[in-house]
Amino acid sequence: MRYIILFLSTLSISLNAQQITGNVFSDGEPLPYVNVYLKGTSKGTTTDENGFYKINAIEAGNYTILASFTGFQTQRKNITVSSNTLVINFDLKESGLLEEVVVTGTLKAVSRLESPVPVEVYSPAFFKKNPTPNIFEALQNVNGVRPQINCNVCNTGDIHINGLEGPYTLVLIDGMPIVSGLSTVYGLSGIPNSLIEQIEIVKGPASSLYGSEAVGGLINIITKLPENAPRFFADSYVTGWGEVNLDLGYKANVGSKASLLTGINYFNYNNPIDNNNDNFTDLTLQNRISIFQKWDFERKNQRAFSLIGRYFYEDRWGGEMQWNPSYRGGDEIYGESIYTSRFEALGKYQLPVEEKILFQFSYTDHDQNSVYGNVPYLAQQRIGFGQFTWDKTLKNHDLLFGTSLRYNYYNDNTPATVEADNIVIPSLFIQDEIKFHEKHTLLLGTRYDYDKRHGNIFTPRIAYKFKPTKNDIFRVNAGTGFRVVNLFTEEHAALTGAREVVIENDLKPERSYNINLNYLTKLYTKSGIMIGLDASVWYTHFTNIILPDYDTNPNQIIYDNLDGKAISQGVSLNIDVMFSNGIKLLAGATLQDVSKTENSITERQILTESFSGTWAASYKNYKYNLTLDYTGNIYGPMRLPLLGDLDPRKENSPVWSIQNIQLTFDGLNNFEIYGGVKNLLNWTPNKGNPFIIARAHDPFDKNVDFDSNGNALVNNDPNSPKYNPYGLTFDPSYVYGPNQGIRLFFGLRYTLN
């Protein structure tokens, strides 16, 4: 009897068991190897080579069926199983690799796959893998981009792209230039991660659209639209060194036509540490606050109108461990103290006409009150920028006409600035994107700028895109760039008083000529792995380049236009892999040769690595709501600024690497808890060197004797107070990496959508 009941039960189940079949497509094409399964059950399968799937033996009832594949948005449907065969089809949309919308390359919002200009895109999720208090530090994990610290004492720095110095990098917020020289670091600080939609990076000249400074590349910080931002967010973390970082933000509706997005960033570090025992702070002490607001207004026909304002204040100091503000500006205890106050305003307004005409503006007001030992540096910089663009589409032509006006004001107290620099630069530009065929696109553009100091400046460019298949793109870009130099907004070493500044001649604008070949593709394997490849080869030739000469005289920095040429050339590769088991890997490598040639002598430029690599590996365990992130970089040797032949410090840096690990738990509603270790290898640049800061015990050179030419004299008597066996002077400019060693960090995020 028992067996009869079991048989009848089995028969009943089989009679009630149903079948689900269907096809999975993407853009009308069958998609193979897609995972299709019923949520909360063990029932599932994978589509065949024709995108077909079949799930058998399903009991009648209500289910949620999902179709997921690496690189595509997971699609789910609620279904009711009641008949023998239920047909459910899916049409998946791509996500993740290569599908981002970009605006930087052409000043128009287009798919990254459709842009004729190669643009690298990084989301806030990328930067969360290694949380930092500012974007400047976060860029350490971007291939071909290196944050360069320029001073061991105050830790200010700039961004190198493909080995080129920071002044060649233009920084923008929402497409508007807000940074030049003096404020490079500050423009990348104080913007909460949660307010950033994405960061776009273009490597190579972009002066035909953006004018001066866009010589080596540009970084565009795209902020969120208020409707895409969380209602409220908070993110805070602390480190074992005593650093505290806090991001707060919220959005609100103001009336029926306006929305407001507010963000506040606060960073504090007030714990002097001297692990390398030179009596100088290893990390600059900082107290910083930044307040950001974005207003977005609703208008007829969805015309754009938005306003952004940001205020930034920072008090930072570094120096001898016993320094306090009472020593500021004196010659008893050495310290570098910088008070920075900065205001930024940006906006865009689409004119109420049928044609798509957009007005954009930006204004920055930067005030810096700083002292380097007993040398004061008081500087003001104001930059105003206004631009009209007319976007016009004709048959096979996507035209962009523009005119802009840039106002530059700069003044400081240095002897080199006899009077304030006050200049207005008008510009005209035109761009035509010609689509010959769905596989062929040609971009032509040119820009005209007039600078009364230097006359007429033309910067043309050309780009060609060939798309033989849906997943393969070849791009060729060629163009020119220019930069009008304001020396003392850029060179920290020129301000410290450690070396005399010598300007040989009137400085002429720098020019560059560049060609870039780029190949972009994505591959899918039968095992569900998606691979994205982004490879580039570039060559940039500079004329009139201005490079600080540290070598001719160890007590001087000599500035002049190079009587010769400078070249930046190399190859880079990014690989983005998404495995079906949840592991994601982003890795990149760059090989480069950055050199200068003068008087038939070619040598590598100073502080430029020959190779570099970056990686970010992530694994998500959905069962336990845990994510593991392992990030890092590696840099090849770079030539360093020595003070002479007797200087015992290494002439070239070693191969060095900064690596980090983080674990994140997101199993609580609205909360994320994260923590980890930064600089796992505990690497610092003092390893293998007798010292980093030259004559740190005598920062005012009170015990240095000089000859008639101003050169430091050697003193080999160890009993003498003027003992100086290497003939050195105080100099903190020998720096190529952070002095901050291994440390723990712990953080908490709260997001209310």
Side-chain angles (χ1 to χ4, degrees):
M1 186 66 181
R2 182 175 57 185
Y3 294 106
I4 295 174
I5 294 174
L6 180 60
F7 170 76
L8 292 176
S9 299
T10 304
L11 179 62
S12 174
I13 292 173
S14 62
L15 289 175
N16 288 306
Q18 313 299 333
Q19 183 183 77
I20 302 176
T21 66
N23 291 276
V24 180
F25 301 93
S26 176
D27 291 336
E29 297 293 328
L31 195 60
Y33 318 121
V34 177
N35 295 313
V36 183
Y37 58 96
L38 298 179
K39 184 178 180 181
T41 75
S42 59
K43 300 290 185 180
T45 187
T46 303
T47 58
D48 62 19
E49 293 183 354
N50 298 313
F52 177 78
Y53 75 92
K54 180 169 62 175
I55 304 175
N56 294 316
I58 305 170
E59 292 187 37
N62 296 321
Y63 298 92
T64 298
I65 187 170
L66 297 92
S68 69
F69 188 59
T70 305
F72 289 79
Q73 298 176 14
T74 298
Q75 191 175 119
R76 63 184 64 204
K77 297 182 179 182
N78 295 322
I79 61 173
T80 299
V81 177
S82 58
S83 61
N84 290 331
T85 300
L86 183 63
V87 178
I88 303 294
N89 295 324
F90 293 92
D91 188 6
L92 299 188
K93 304 298 182 183
E94 292 189 76
S95 66
L97 301 182
L98 316 182
E99 291 302 315
E100 304 93 339
V101 172
V102 298
V103 298
T104 304
T106 60
L107 278 180
K108 297 184 179 185
V110 296
S111 164
R112 184 184 173 197
L113 288 171
E114 298 304 321
S115 171
V117 178
V119 182
E120 295 182 15
V121 181
Y122 298 90
S123 68
F126 174 81
F127 297 110
K128 283 183 179 180
K129 298 176 187 296
N130 178 34
T132 60
N134 53 58
I135 299 170
F136 173 79
E137 293 182 34
L139 292 172
Q140 65 184 277
N141 289 324
V142 175
N143 182 31
V145 178
R146 183 170 67 86
Q148 167 64 41
I149 297 174
N150 291 329
C151 175
N152 270 302
V153 180
C154 71
N155 293 160
T156 54
D158 53 34
I159 299 296
H160 290 202
I161 294 182
N162 286 347
L164 299 177
E165 294 283 342
Y168 300 100
T169 300
L170 181 65
V171 179
L172 309 101
I173 294 182
D174 287 345
M176 285 290 95
I178 53 94
V179 173
S180 175
L182 177 66
S183 45
T184 296
V185 174
Y186 305 103
L188 292 172
S189 297
I191 302 177
N193 186 288
S194 296
L195 295 184
I196 297 173
E197 184 71 28
Q198 63 190 38
I199 294 178
E200 301 176 4
I201 298 176
V202 175
K203 298 173 181 176
S207 292
S208 62
L209 279 183
Y210 296 97
S212 182
E213 277 85 47
V215 180
L218 57 89
I219 299 170
N220 192 3
I221 303 168
I222 309 294
T223 60
K224 289 183 181 294
L225 294 171
E227 59 262 31
N228 295 336
R231 185 181 304 173
F232 175 81
F233 68 87
D235 186 354
S236 180
Y237 73 86
V238 296
T239 74
W241 276 47
E243 299 161 284
V244 178
N245 186 74
L246 174 65
D247 285 344
L248 293 174
Y250 68 91
K251 71 174 180 180
N253 293 323
V254 182
S256 59
K257 298 292 185 180
S259 55
L260 170 65
L261 184 61
T262 300
I264 299 172
N265 170 255
Y266 176 71
F267 178 78
N268 181 272
Y269 171 67
N270 193 30
N271 181 34
I273 292 177
D274 178 25
N275 285 339
N276 59 16
N277 299 315
D278 60 4
N279 195 41
F280 272 73
T281 53
D282 292 345
L283 179 66
T284 304
L285 282 74
Q286 301 167 59
N287 191 29
R288 176 175 72 235
I289 189 167
S290 174
I291 302 172
F292 174 98
Q293 276 201 337
K294 181 174 184 177
W295 291 76
D296 198 66
F297 300 91
E298 183 180 335
R299 299 175 61 211
K300 290 182 179 179
N301 300 319
Q302 296 183 331
R303 293 190 177 99
F305 181 24
S306 65
L307 297 171
I308 294 175
R310 186 168 79 110
Y311 177 73
F312 177 98
Y313 177 80
E314 182 182 67
D315 174 5
R316 69 160 61 203
W317 76 267
E320 294 186 89
M321 293 291 288
Q322 62 271 36
W323 189 91
N324 63 58
S326 66
Y327 295 107
R328 192 176 196 267
D331 62 357
E332 184 178 353
I333 303 297
Y334 188 90
E336 298 187 1
S337 171
I338 303 171
Y339 303 145
T340 300
S341 180
R342 177 178 176 84
F343 173 75
E344 301 165 0
L346 304 93
K348 63 180 179 181
Y349 177 80
Q350 186 176 343
L351 272 59
V353 296
E354 289 188 10
E355 298 291 340
K356 190 176 181 180
I357 301 177
L358 191 67
F359 172 67
Q360 296 172 280
F361 74 89
S362 67
Y363 175 77
T364 62
D365 191 305
H366 187 104
D367 182 86
Q368 186 161 320
N369 179 331
S370 51
V371 291
Y372 302 90
N374 58 354
V375 179
Y377 174 61
L378 309 176
Q380 298 81 40
Q381 183 181 54
R382 293 190 285 271
I383 300 177
F385 186 88
Q387 176 175 278
F388 281 95
T389 57
W390 176 26
D391 188 350
K392 182 68 174 177
T393 301
L394 301 174
K395 182 180 180 181
N396 299 330
H397 292 266
D398 197 352
L399 294 162
L400 183 72
F401 302 91
T403 180
S404 65
L405 193 69
R406 178 169 177 164
Y407 167 72
N408 283 3
Y409 171 87
Y410 176 78
N411 195 17
D412 65 31
N413 66 318
T414 65
T417 305
V418 178
E419 60 181 2
D421 182 21
N422 211 341
I423 189 72
V424 175
I425 304 175
S427 307
L428 295 170
F429 59 90
I430 183 173
Q431 176 180 275
D432 184 9
E433 186 174 335
I434 309 167
K435 200 171 185 66
F436 296 103
H437 184 271
E438 62 179 9
K439 295 182 178 181
H440 301 275
T441 302
L442 179 67
L443 179 74
L444 301 173
T446 189
R447 182 185 181 98
Y448 165 74
D449 292 79
Y450 177 76
D451 187 321
K452 67 179 182 181
R453 299 166 297 183
H454 308 295
N456 303 313
I457 303 174
F458 289 93
T459 47
R461 76 165 173 172
I462 183 172
Y464 170 70
K465 178 174 72 74
F466 173 50
K467 189 177 180 182
T469 71
K470 175 184 175 182
N471 296 326
D472 294 278
I473 299 176
F474 294 89
R475 296 183 177 100
V476 180
N477 278 257
T480 63
F482 77 95
R483 188 173 74 97
V484 177
V485 177
N486 196 327
L487 182 66
F488 289 93
T489 67
E490 299 157 0
E491 290 294 342
H492 169 271
L495 310 173
T496 64
R499 298 187 186 212
E500 178 189 1
V501 175
V502 177
I503 301 175
E504 293 283 339
N505 299 291
D506 290 337
L507 300 178
K508 302 174 183 178
E510 297 175 300
R511 299 298 301 262
S512 70
Y513 305 88
N514 170 273
I515 185 168
N516 181 296
L517 307 178
N518 175 259
Y519 173 62
L520 193 69
T521 188
K522 53 184 176 179
L523 309 169
Y524 300 93
T525 70
K526 292 183 178 181
S527 57
I529 300 174
M530 186 173 73
I531 303 172
L533 295 174
D534 187 349
S536 293
V537 179
W538 79 90
Y539 176 87
T540 305
H541 181 103
F542 288 90
T543 60
N544 289 337
I545 194 170
I546 300 171
L547 298 173
D549 178 1
Y550 293 87
D551 301 325
T552 301
N553 187 324
N555 296 305
Q556 294 179 339
I557 306 176
I558 302 173
Y559 295 95
D560 196 5
N561 289 108
L562 186 70
D563 184 16
K565 64 179 181 180
I567 289 174
S568 169
Q569 57 188 343
V571 58
S572 68
L573 174 67
N574 286 322
I575 181 169
D576 201 342
V577 185
M578 300 175 69
F579 297 91
S580 57
N581 61 2
I583 296 177
K584 298 180 182 179
L585 174 65
L586 175 62
T590 297
L591 295 174
Q592 61 188 17
D593 176 23
V594 184
S595 63
K596 64 175 182 178
T597 302
E598 192 170 24
N599 299 323
S600 300
I601 298 175
T602 299
E603 62 179 355
R604 278 177 52 201
Q605 288 188 24
I606 206 165
L607 292 173
T608 302
E609 66 277 14
S610 56
F611 69 86
S612 64
T614 58
W615 63 87
S618 301
Y619 171 69
K620 177 67 180 282
N621 185 302
Y622 290 93
K623 181 178 180 180
Y624 297 104
N625 300 297
L626 291 173
T627 302
L628 181 67
D629 293 300
Y630 171 50
T631 58
N633 53 50
I634 186 169
Y635 298 105
M638 59 187 76
R639 195 165 66 90
L640 302 175
L642 298 180
L643 291 180
D645 294 336
L646 297 178
D647 194 329
R649 296 173 294 182
K650 292 182 177 180
E651 182 180 0
N652 294 287
S653 65
V655 175
W656 57 282
S657 175
I658 301 290
Q659 301 177 26
N660 320 284
I661 194 165
Q662 174 182 256
L663 189 65
T664 303
F665 175 73
D666 59 2
L668 302 174
N669 286 339
N670 304 324
F671 283 96
E672 287 185 7
I673 302 171
Y674 60 94
V677 182
K678 289 179 177 288
N679 197 354
L680 280 167
L681 304 181
N682 196 27
W683 178 89
T684 52
N686 62 294
K687 298 183 185 301
N689 267 312
F691 50 83
I692 294 295
I693 299 176
R695 291 190 67 81
H697 64 284
D698 184 22
F700 296 100
D701 292 333
K702 294 180 179 180
N703 292 315
V704 178
D705 290 326
F706 298 90
D707 63 17
S708 58
N709 294 320
N711 297 313
L713 295 173
V714 173
N715 186 323
N716 287 313
D717 182 2
N719 297 317
S720 170
K722 296 188 176 183
Y723 177 59
N724 191 1
Y726 308 117
L728 304 181
T729 57
F730 173 72
D731 181 27
S733 63
Y734 182 95
V735 59
Y736 56 94
N739 287 316
Q740 198 175 13
I742 189 171
R743 59 206 181 276
L744 297 171
F745 68 95
F746 176 80
L748 178 67
R749 297 188 185 99
Y750 174 78
T751 304
L752 180 63
N753 292 310

